[in-house]
Structures are given as structure tokens and as C-alpha cells.
């Protein structure tokens, strides 16, 4: 890597040079996109245009993390980018061209080239207004945080860090290149990005950034639900979602994203003692992630959402009874409805909305299991009702145990082990996930000598209940049971 030149955007921004290891990482980053650095970088340079790797790939290289995206910035306007990449790129797409971005593919490499720009939101607009620039420092100052405002010029590999991003990277601090008030005004979503990066990278917010986020949180109301959702998803799939959620609540961001979460901080007095539902929910989230990892699963958005939201129905269902007792009757039903409404408002896919709300509705079902008193039919129903969500329900139910009473926790753990064992045994014996009655609809019609209609459905459901209650019956016994049922319910 050539000698690196540095510039500082402010007198108090520390100017630091990369360590030898970080220089090697930057060189490796440039090498990993040599097709771009030598090919495209050479094309742009020959035509008098600038081109640089920027943002996340540079930050991740300095952190020793794999870079998944290739983001480039240039002084060439979008139409000029299209002219320069013609004949070089294998394919080009222009979905983001109105925002100055051209997408390219070269062999197996996918990248985006964006014109130097400054974008900002008018006070009530949900869409940014884009203006193009001609200087990389003017572009970098508009970036969200200093750790994302570093660049590597191509093809020469010069490292550009005008705002002390490397120093902040080493300190683990999120700071904005300019005033945070200007940055958050330009794009309020950066408030969410701040807490997301805190969870993702384990960084803290600079005091002025935290203060501006708190003061300007209301600006998130002009950002589209889809953009809010995308940041929330990245936060929840990060290594430490709890850190991000806590920041959202502390800074007053949560009311504009997940308003149900801060409402979990129920007031507890000396006469009405119950768990802090907010702290409990965060602990359940932590424990679900721990179980997710120990069972060898990838980060699971549905599970993490369900863990976070499983008790959001409690504030609405809280009731005080005698002797200081507090109840939350049917909070799982209310919570499922609230989860569906909130996730729909955030434009989550229908399957995610359905799966999360189903897990919230089911999360208390296990607590009727006691010491294993459930019959095999009850265990079958439990598994059938969970369906493909069964493994997630196992994890959520286990994670929901946050008691400090070691004896009680151990007893619950044994019960969880027992029901999972019984479900596994029943599944092996009966292929539980494909349970069907012993007779199908055509056989029911033939035996009862009836045509298609609601009576066939009623008979089918009756046989399914018998199947769940008794296990496999065989066609002869099922036929006899069907005729007995028909004699009582279909007479005349």
C-alpha cells in the first residue's frame, strides 16, 4: 500500500495512521477487489474521474471483519458512470440512479457506485433531496458516522480519513463527521443506525451523538416504515440486540419504532410485587439467543422478535387482586394481537407477522404441563398447534424462565426436557408433523354414503380428534367410530 496521506476535518479530531496490521487489511481489501481497483479504477483515472472504496467495507477491513459489500464513490455523475462502465461491467442496473447510485456486476462481484453527494430531508418529507458534489471530503462529511467516513482511493490505494474515523474506530465510539444535529436532520434514520451500530459493533455513542438522538427522536416519524423496519432487523440480528433496544428506550427512540417496549416498564410498588416486565423481556431475548447459538442455529429474526414481544400484552391486562397479587390474564392472546398489529405497521412480511404472533400466543401453553401430567393426546395437540414453529417454541419457552430460584428453574428445565423427549418419541412413532385421520374425505363419503359438504368436514375433524387422542386406530376401528358418530350427529 502506498504512503498514506491524512487530512483532518477539525482541529480536535485525532489524526492516526493505521497499524501495520490495518495497512495489511486495507491492502487485502484492495487486492480482494483487484478487478475493480485495477480495471474500473484505471478506467476512471484515465478519464480524469475519481473512484474510491468507501464506508462499510473500509471500516470492516480495519476491524478485521470480512467485507460483504463493495461500495464505491466517485465524482462522476450517474450518466457519466454509465458511460465509463459500458463494456466493462457484465451487467448494469439503475434502480437507485435517482439517488446517484448505479449497480454493477463483474464476474462474481457485485458493487454499487455512487456519485459524491449530499442528501437531506425537508422537515416533512419522507424522501431525501439529492445534490451531487465534486470533492470526496464534502461527500464524507455527509456520511452518518466517522467510522463510515473513511475511504481508499483507487487504483492507488490511498487511505482517506479526514474526520478521525480511525481514532474513533480504535476507541469504539460512534461520532458524526459534522454536528450530529445536522447529520440527523439530513437523514433521521441515522438515529436508528446509531443504536444499530452500537449493537452490531459493540460501540458506544459519543455524548453529543446521544444527546442529539434524544432531542431529535421525533424526526423518525417522517421516515418510511420500511426503512425503520430494515434497521430494526439488522439490530435484532446483531450480536447484542439488547444493547440496541436499551439505547432505543433510554434515548426515547422506541416510541417511534416499538412503542410497546418502554410500556413494559411497569411501576412496581411495595404492595403489588411482580417482575419488571421490561427487564424480564430483555433477559428472555438474551437467553433465547444463547439457546439459539447452543443449538447450532443461525440468528433467527422470528425467534428474537417473539422473545422481545412475548409479554407486550401485560400492561393492558394487568389487574390487582387481594394480598398484593397481580395478574395478567390472557396477556398472551392480547400480546399476539398487538404483535400482529405492530409488525404489520412496520411492513414486515406476512409470514414473519404470522409466525411471531403465533409464538406469542403459544408461549404460555407449556405451563399447563406441570410435572408431566399431560396425556399423549395433549402432547400431540401441543406439537400440532406449534407445527413448523415447534423448535422455536421450545427455545422461547425455555428462555421465558428467568426465576432466580434454582430449585424452581431446575424443575422447569426437567419438565422442558421431558416434553421434548415425549414429542420426539411420538414424532418418531407417528410422524407427528404429518398427522392425518385414519380415513380421508373420499372414504368418509363412501362409508356414510354422502356427497361433498359440511358434514364431511365435521366427520373429518371428529376423526382427527380421535387420532390425536388415541394415536393410530386403523381403518376398521376408525370406520366403526365414524359410523357411531354419524348415528348420533347425522341422524335423519
Amino acid at each position: 500500500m502506498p504512503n498514506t496521506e491524512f487530512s483532518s476535518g477539525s482541529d480536535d479530531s485525532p489524526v492516526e495512521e493505521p497499524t501495520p496490521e490495518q495497512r495489511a487489511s486495507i491492502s487485502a481489501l484492495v487486492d480482494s477487489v483487484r478487478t475493480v481497483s485495477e480495471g474500473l479504477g484505471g478506467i476512471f483515472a484515465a478519464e480524469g474521474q475519481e473512484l474510491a472504496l468507501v464506508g462499510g467495507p473500509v471500516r470492516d477491513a480495519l476491524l478485521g471483519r470480512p467485507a460483504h459489500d463493495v461500495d464505491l464513490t466517485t465524482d462522476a455523475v450517474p450518466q457519466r458512470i454509465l458511460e465509463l462502465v459500458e463494456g466493462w461491467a457484465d451487467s448494469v442496473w439503475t434502480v437507485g440512479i435517482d439517488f446517484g447510485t448505479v449497480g454493477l456486476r463483474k464476474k462474481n462481484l457485485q458493487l454499487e457506485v455512487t456519485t459524491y453527494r449530499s442528501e437531506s430531508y425537508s422537515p416533512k418529507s419522507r424522501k431525501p433531496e439529492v445534490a451531487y458534489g465534486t470533492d470526496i471530503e464534502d461527500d464524507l462529511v455527509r456520511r452518518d458516522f466517522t467510522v463510515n467516513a473513511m475511504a481508499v482511493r483507487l487504483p492507488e490505494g490511498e487511505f482517506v480519513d479526514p474526520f478521525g474515523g480511525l481514532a474513533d474506530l480504535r476507541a469504539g465510539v460512534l461520532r458524526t463527521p459534522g454536528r450530529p444535529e445536522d447529520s440527523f436532520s439530513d437523514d433521521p434514520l441515522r438515529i436508528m443506525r446509531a443504536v444499530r451500530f452500537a449493537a452490531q459493533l459493540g460501540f458506544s455513542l459519543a455524548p453529543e451523538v446521544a444527546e442529539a438522538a434524544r432531542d431529535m427522536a421525533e424526526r423518525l416519524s417522517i421516515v418510511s416504515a420500511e426503512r425503520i423496519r430494515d434497521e430494526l432487523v439488522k439490530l435484532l440480528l446483531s450480536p447484542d440486540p439488547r444493547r440496541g433496544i436499551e439505547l432505543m428506550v433510554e434515548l426515547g427512540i422506541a416510541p417511534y419504532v416499538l412503542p410497546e417496549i418502554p410500556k413494559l416498564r411497569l411501576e412496581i410498588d411495595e404492595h403489588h410485587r411482580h417482575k419488571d416486565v421490561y427487564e424480564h423481556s430483555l433477559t428472555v431475548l438474551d437467553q433465547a439467543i444463547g439457546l439459539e447459538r447452543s443449538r447450532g442455529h443461525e440468528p433467527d429474526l422470528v425467534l428474537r422478535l417473539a422473545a422481545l414481544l412475548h409479554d407486550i400484552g401485560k400492561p393492558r391486562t394487568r389487574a390487582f387482586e387481594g394480598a398484593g397479587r397481580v395478574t395478567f390474564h390472557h396477556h398472551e392472546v392480547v400480546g399476539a394481537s398487538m404483535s400482529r398489529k405492530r409488525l404489520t405497521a412496520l411492513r414486515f412480511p406476512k409470514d414473519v407477522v404470522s409466525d411471531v404472533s403465533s409464538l406469542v400466543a403459544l408461549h404460555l401453553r407449556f405451563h399447563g404441563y406441570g410435572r408431566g401430567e399431560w396425556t399423549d393426546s395433549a402432547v400431540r395437540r401441543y406439537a400440532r398447534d406449534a407445527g413448523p414453529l415447534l423448535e422455536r417454541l421450545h427455545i422461547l419457552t425455555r428462555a421465558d424462565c428467568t426465576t432466580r430460584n434454582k430449585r424452581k428453574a431446575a424443575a422447569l428445565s426437567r419438565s422442558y426436557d421431558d416434553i421434548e423427549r415425549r414429542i420426539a418419541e411420538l414424532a418418531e412413532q407417528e410422524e407427528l408433523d404429518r398427522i392425518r385421520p385414519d380415513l380421508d374425505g373420499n372414504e368418509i363419503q363412501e362409508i356414510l354414503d354422502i356427497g361433498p359438504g359440511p358434514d364431511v368436514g365435521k366427520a373429518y375433524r371428529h376423526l382427527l380428534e380421535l387420532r390425536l387422542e388415541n394415536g393410530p386406530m386403523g381403518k376398521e376401528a376408525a370406520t366403526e367410530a365414524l359410523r357411531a358418530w354419524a348415528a348420533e350427529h347425522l341422524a335423519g
Side-chain angles (χ1 to χ4, degrees):
M1 182 175 174
N3 289 334
T4 302
E5 296 180 3
F6 294 86
S7 60
S8 174
S10 63
D11 293 339
D12 58 357
S13 295
V15 179
E16 298 192 11
E17 294 192 7
T19 64
E21 292 78 11
Q22 289 173 325
R23 286 180 180 275
S25 296
I26 292 294
S27 295
L29 173 63
V30 175
D31 286 342
S32 71
V33 291
R34 185 162 296 282
T35 300
V36 177
S37 61
E38 294 182 351
L40 194 59
I43 292 171
F44 273 62
E47 294 295 324
Q49 303 285 177
E50 298 178 2
L51 187 68
L53 285 161
V54 70
V58 178
R59 178 201 68 222
D60 288 340
L62 290 167
L63 287 172
R65 294 156 46 107
H68 300 292
D69 302 314
V70 180
D71 295 329
L72 300 159
T73 189
T74 179
D75 60 348
V77 297
Q79 190 57 45
R80 182 62 173 151
I81 296 173
L82 292 173
E83 294 171 0
L84 292 171
V85 302
E86 185 176 359
W88 180 85
D90 296 331
S91 60
V92 178
W93 55 95
T94 58
V95 175
I97 199 165
D98 289 344
F99 300 100
T101 299
V102 174
L104 311 175
R105 182 181 297 278
K106 180 68 172 181
K107 298 181 180 178
N108 295 325
L109 195 63
Q110 185 171 309
L111 52 143
E112 290 186 342
V113 185
T114 301
T115 305
Y116 296 160
R117 64 185 180 183
S118 62
E119 60 182 41
S120 61
Y121 285 75
S122 61
K124 296 182 180 179
S125 173
R126 287 179 178 266
K127 294 183 178 180
E129 299 173 355
V130 177
Y132 300 132
T134 58
D135 184 85
I136 191 170
E137 290 196 14
D138 288 343
D139 177 78
L140 295 178
V141 76
R142 291 289 185 176
R143 301 272 164 171
D144 51 8
F145 304 105
T146 59
V147 297
N148 294 329
M150 298 177 285
V152 179
R153 294 186 188 273
L154 302 178
E156 64 271 27
E158 177 191 348
F159 179 56
V160 182
D161 179 23
F163 304 106
L166 184 57
D168 288 338
L169 199 69
R170 288 173 176 164
V173 175
L174 290 173
R175 198 183 310 278
T176 53
R179 290 185 348 120
E181 294 83 2
D182 294 336
S183 181
F184 294 159
S185 181
D186 285 349
D187 185 355
L189 187 67
R190 290 173 177 173
I191 297 171
M192 267 296 290
R193 286 171 66 83
V195 299
R196 188 256 288 186
F197 279 124
Q200 205 169 53
L201 301 175
F203 285 12
S204 60
L205 306 188
E208 70 275 12
V209 171
E211 183 179 358
R214 182 181 290 107
D215 292 343
M216 301 178 69
E218 187 179 3
R219 288 278 287 156
L220 282 168
S221 60
I222 72 166
V223 181
S224 69
E226 291 82 358
R227 296 186 74 210
I228 294 284
R229 174 204 63 208
D230 290 347
E231 286 299 323
L232 179 60
V233 168
K234 292 174 183 177
L235 187 160
L236 287 170
L237 295 180
S238 71
D240 188 9
R242 179 180 185 137
R243 183 184 184 91
I245 298 297
E246 286 177 330
L247 277 173
M248 286 174 58
V249 172
E250 290 169 13
L251 300 177
I253 297 168
Y256 304 97
V257 182
L258 290 172
E260 296 80 5
I261 299 305
K263 292 179 182 177
L264 293 175
R265 296 183 298 182
L266 299 178
E267 183 177 333
I268 304 173
D269 61 42
E270 60 182 337
H271 303 296
H272 300 107
R273 296 176 181 176
H274 56 83
K275 290 181 181 177
D276 182 329
V277 183
Y278 171 67
E279 286 295 330
H280 166 75
S281 298
L282 293 180
T283 301
V284 172
L285 175 60
D286 283 341
Q287 294 185 166
I289 292 170
L291 288 167
E292 173 190 272
R293 291 169 179 162
S294 68
R295 294 188 175 207
H297 301 317
E298 293 296 316
D300 186 338
L301 177 64
V302 167
L303 174 64
R304 295 182 182 200
L305 278 168
L308 180 63
L309 302 178
H310 77 285
D311 274 348
I312 61 171
K314 280 192 170 180
R316 289 190 183 179
T317 58
R318 181 171 62 162
F320 301 116
E321 298 184 354
R325 187 165 176 262
V326 181
T327 62
F328 304 96
H329 294 309
H330 306 301
H331 77 268
E332 74 281 11
V333 177
V334 174
S337 176
M338 292 171 65
S339 297
R340 181 178 297 277
K341 182 177 180 180
R342 175 55 51 203
L343 297 180
T344 299
L346 287 169
R347 304 291 192 271
F348 275 91
K350 290 182 179 179
D351 60 331
V352 173
V353 175
S354 176
D355 288 350
V356 173
S357 57
S358 293
L359 284 170
V360 173
L362 290 169
H363 83 273
L364 286 185
R365 284 280 296 275
F366 170 82
H367 293 284
Y369 188 71
R371 297 183 179 179
E373 293 90 346
W374 280 5
T375 63
D376 283 352
S377 63
V379 174
R380 290 189 189 98
R381 286 191 180 87
Y382 181 81
R384 184 193 68 174
D385 290 347
L389 299 174
L390 183 59
E391 171 66 3
R392 286 164 166 156
L393 183 59
H394 285 328
I395 293 175
L396 177 59
T397 303
R398 285 180 179 273
D400 196 23
C401 174
T402 61
T403 179
R404 295 181 181 179
N405 185 317
K406 293 182 179 180
R407 182 176 298 178
K408 182 178 179 181
L412 284 170
S413 181
R414 287 193 297 270
S415 294
Y416 298 149
D417 292 341
D418 188 54
I419 193 171
E420 287 198 52
R421 175 189 58 77
R422 291 177 65 186
I423 288 172
E425 290 176 353
L426 287 169
E428 184 177 353
Q429 296 166 8
E430 305 174 18
E431 296 185 30
L432 191 59
D433 57 341
R434 291 195 293 273
I435 286 179
R436 297 290 185 273
D438 295 271
L439 302 172
D440 63 25
N442 291 329
E443 290 171 319
I444 291 171
Q445 292 178 60
E446 183 179 345
I447 291 168
L448 299 182
D449 192 24
I450 60 176
D455 287 340
V456 177
K458 293 176 184 177
Y460 185 93
R461 287 190 290 275
H462 173 68
L463 290 176
L464 178 58
E465 286 299 314
L466 290 179
R467 173 72 171 75
L468 290 168
E469 187 71 31
N470 303 316
M473 299 174 63
K475 292 193 181 294
E476 185 177 342
T479 299
E480 183 179 343
L482 174 63
R483 285 176 172 154
W485 174 86
E488 180 178 353
H489 294 86
L490 301 184

